[in-house]
């Protein structure tokens, strides 16, 4: 079981819609709720490492779960659980190929989250 | 009390150091742990709204906690708790002025988090 919200995968279009607020605009409760759900999925060290591993492998295509177990030093069920949380959050796609599942980043999904947490018009 | 990590505020320089990995580089466990701590602080709808309110007010300078209570519809202790979590995570600064505390975004802190979760070299 997962402790994150049991809701359908976040459509990228919905996330993108919340990610380009005009400068100075305050997030409304629905936008904040949606964004918090995605950030909760990311806010776990092993899940962040999984995302970076899948990103590092992106030029080679999708990444087999079988190649993610040894580098993390976790059991396969634990790795699969973390990958499910990231998939449910709308950050990864999953494709079954015979015995193994393969995972890819959804193009633009992480960039949309990054844009959503960076307030427009704030001096850096 | 807070449920987030009881550790000193994250120095921005440390966060920035974890935020420009070469393309394709996998986060090491220490980097992932640090980034997850900041994301956990952000991954709460009211805290995301507080950040956006303080960002929206940035041109006017620091924001008084007294101006954040009514828009959120939460009690002052609850708002103060959320602001403490964000401050402890290294995202806000706090300045006491008489009765009230005033909060500002730490310049570059949110941008550093955004850069850290956006894998370099991944096609969008």
């Amino acid at each position: 079981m997962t402790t994150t919200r049991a809701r359908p995968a976040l459509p990228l279009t919905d996330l993108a819609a919340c990610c380009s607020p005009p400068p100075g605009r305050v997030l409304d409760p629905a936008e904040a709720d949606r964004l918090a759900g995605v950030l909760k999925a990311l806010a776990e060290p092993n899940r962040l490492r999984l995302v970076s591993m899948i990103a590092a492998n992106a030029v080679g295509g999708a990444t087999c779960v079988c190649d993610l177990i040894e580098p993390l030093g976790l059991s396969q069920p634990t790795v699969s659980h973390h990958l499910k949380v990231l998939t449910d959050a709308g950050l990864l796609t999953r494709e079954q190929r015979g015995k193994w599942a393969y995972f890819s980043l959804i193009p633009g999904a992480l960039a949309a989250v990054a844009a959503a947490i960076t307030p427009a018009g704030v001096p850096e």
Side-chain angles (χ1 to χ4, degrees), chain A:
Chain A
M1 292 300 290
T2 168
T3 56
T4 56
R5 293 160 192 281
R7 55 169 61 179
L10 183 83
L12 182 60
T13 47
D14 282 6
L15 184 60
C18 84
C19 298
S20 303
R25 200 173 68 75
V26 171
L27 284 180
D28 71 34
E31 290 168 332
D33 196 47
R34 203 158 42 197
L35 180 57
V38 183
L39 290 172
K40 273 178 191 152
L42 274 176
E44 202 282 334
N46 289 306
R47 291 203 282 272
L48 286 169
R49 296 194 73 209
L50 280 170
V51 165
S52 73
M53 288 173 191
I54 293 167
N57 195 43
V59 290
T63 303
C64 179
V65 64
C66 57
D67 292 326
L68 296 167
I69 295 165
E70 186 275 334
L72 274 189
L74 300 174
S75 69
Q76 188 194 328
T78 300
V79 172
S80 292
H81 162 73
H82 286 314
L83 290 166
K84 182 179 188 311
V85 172
L86 292 165
T87 304
D88 289 349
L91 297 171
L92 301 181
T93 55
R94 178 189 190 281
E95 183 194 351
Q96 191 73 33
R97 298 184 193 169
K99 179 182 174 185
W100 297 108
Y102 284 71
F103 292 86
S104 304
L105 292 179
I106 292 180
L110 286 170
V113 175
I117 64 172
T118 312
V122 175
E124 288 303 323

